[in-house]
Amino acid sequence: MAQLAAKLISVEEGFIIPEVVDELARIAGGVPSMKSGPIAGPFMPRLLDIGAGRIAEMDADGVAVQILSLSAPGVQKFAPDVALSLARLANDRLSEAAKAHPDRFAGLAVAPPQAPVEAAKELERAVSRLGLKGLIINSHTGDEYLDDPKFWPLLEAVEALDVPLYIHPREPGAGLWDGLMAMTGFTVGWGYAVETGTHALRMIAAGVFERFPKLQVVLGHLGEGIPFMLQRIDNRYPFEIGVTGKAPLPKTPGEYFRGNFTVSTSGMNFAAPLRAAIDILGADRIMFAADHPMENQKAVVADYMAIPLTDAERRQISELTARRVFKIAA
Ligand code: MN
């Protein structure tokens, strides 16, 4: 493989295991839909391959390392005991793939928020014993979000293990469902960002980052719209808090976002929004993602490489931010 100036690390790359496919199909009654998860898509052969075929495509497309995570909605739709055993199985398989190809794959653990104490224990096993690099949660769990203190034992474990939490989209929760799912054709491009961006802001609003100040969260899609709204959010926050008489947070929403969040370029490898995100967050809070196999990895890498960046920005976004956030040795 030709050596690039920077090794391209791609941080939001999907996989699945047959046992999870079977359970997703079972609870969906075998009917694929936007709600049933990846059984709906033509992506299955690539999702199931965490070996030679995937590496051959990475070589052909110029991706050095993929950071893999169980495809949305992960195990979050399953009964807690089923979710826990499938999470263990998925984490074991992912760890085996990463150990078989340590210079090509790293992985994020999955753990069921619907069983937060057991999930915290599984995360500890996955990080400490299996060598996985963080946790992925696919937005809401049973229409509930991580601002709810019932989930905080899991956040406490994420912070204590000093690994990042990647909050990935899924179909909108009940509170947003009617408006967003009615817009056929816009559910992913707009609805996922509203769902997942709202999730992140709920966490800020609830004081999650006061309770867990070292917690580091990763958002895909250049921050699910938040960076582009951050100045307006910061500008209106003190006004609105003042009107309601509520106690303000010690920091501005933007200070939490810049201090506790990193974003990836999944689905957003476009020049104008990437330049805006660099201006607003800095390249050291941005990292490349292809979203393989949901997006065409070859086309995405070509799009990304065509975006005008300085050499320092390119190296930071291609490689250095990801190495720092996920603790991947050079
Ligand atoms: Mn994705």
Side-chain angles (χ1 to χ4, degrees), residues 12 168-169 221 266 291 294:
E12 188 196 302
H168 185 279
H221 316 96
S266 57
D291 207 6
M294 305 307 182

Tab-separated table of all heavy atoms in Angstrom, residues 12 168-169 221 266 291 294, ligand 1:
chain	number	residue	atom	x	y	z
A	12	GLU	N	-15.708	5.987	12.084
A	12	GLU	CA	-17.121	5.605	12.304
A	12	GLU	C	-17.511	4.552	11.288
A	12	GLU	O	-18.283	4.803	10.368
A	12	GLU	CB	-18.027	6.845	12.215
A	12	GLU	CG	-19.480	6.580	12.620
A	12	GLU	CD	-20.429	7.674	12.169
A	12	GLU	OE1	-20.229	8.842	12.548
A	12	GLU	OE2	-21.377	7.360	11.428
A	168	HIS	N	-23.869	7.961	18.201
A	168	HIS	CA	-24.179	7.768	16.777
A	168	HIS	C	-25.687	7.918	16.578
A	168	HIS	O	-26.458	7.580	17.466
A	168	HIS	CB	-23.710	6.359	16.362
A	168	HIS	CG	-23.852	6.069	14.913
A	168	HIS	ND1	-25.037	5.678	14.335
A	168	HIS	CD2	-22.938	6.127	13.913
A	168	HIS	CE1	-24.841	5.504	13.034
A	168	HIS	NE2	-23.584	5.772	12.753
A	169	PRO	N	-26.124	8.394	15.417
A	169	PRO	CA	-27.569	8.524	15.179
A	169	PRO	C	-28.306	7.178	15.119
A	169	PRO	O	-27.714	6.130	14.872
A	169	PRO	CB	-27.648	9.206	13.812
A	169	PRO	CG	-26.315	9.823	13.597
A	169	PRO	CD	-25.330	8.942	14.307
A	221	HIS	N	-20.879	13.356	11.622
A	221	HIS	CA	-21.599	14.325	10.785
A	221	HIS	C	-21.257	15.757	11.162
A	221	HIS	O	-22.120	16.620	11.229
A	221	HIS	CB	-23.109	14.018	10.833
A	221	HIS	CG	-23.360	12.539	10.689
A	221	HIS	ND1	-23.546	11.689	11.767
A	221	HIS	CD2	-23.316	11.742	9.597
A	221	HIS	CE1	-23.636	10.448	11.338
A	221	HIS	NE2	-23.494	10.440	10.029
A	266	SER	N	-17.995	11.972	9.169
A	266	SER	CA	-18.890	10.993	8.541
A	266	SER	C	-20.052	11.688	7.830
A	266	SER	O	-20.716	12.553	8.402
A	266	SER	CB	-19.444	10.035	9.602
A	266	SER	OG	-20.120	10.747	10.622
A	291	ASP	N	-17.790	6.294	7.205
A	291	ASP	CA	-19.092	5.651	7.418
A	291	ASP	C	-19.278	4.456	6.487
A	291	ASP	O	-20.381	4.193	6.005
A	291	ASP	CB	-20.255	6.646	7.272
A	291	ASP	CG	-21.479	6.248	8.094
A	291	ASP	OD1	-21.399	5.265	8.859
A	291	ASP	OD2	-22.520	6.911	7.954
A	294	MET	N	-22.004	2.255	4.831
A	294	MET	CA	-23.226	3.021	4.529
A	294	MET	C	-22.960	4.040	3.414
A	294	MET	O	-23.866	4.405	2.668
A	294	MET	CB	-23.739	3.730	5.780
A	294	MET	CG	-23.980	2.810	6.967
A	294	MET	SD	-25.047	1.388	6.566
A	294	MET	CE	-25.148	0.620	8.176
B	1	MN	MN	-22.572	5.875	10.803
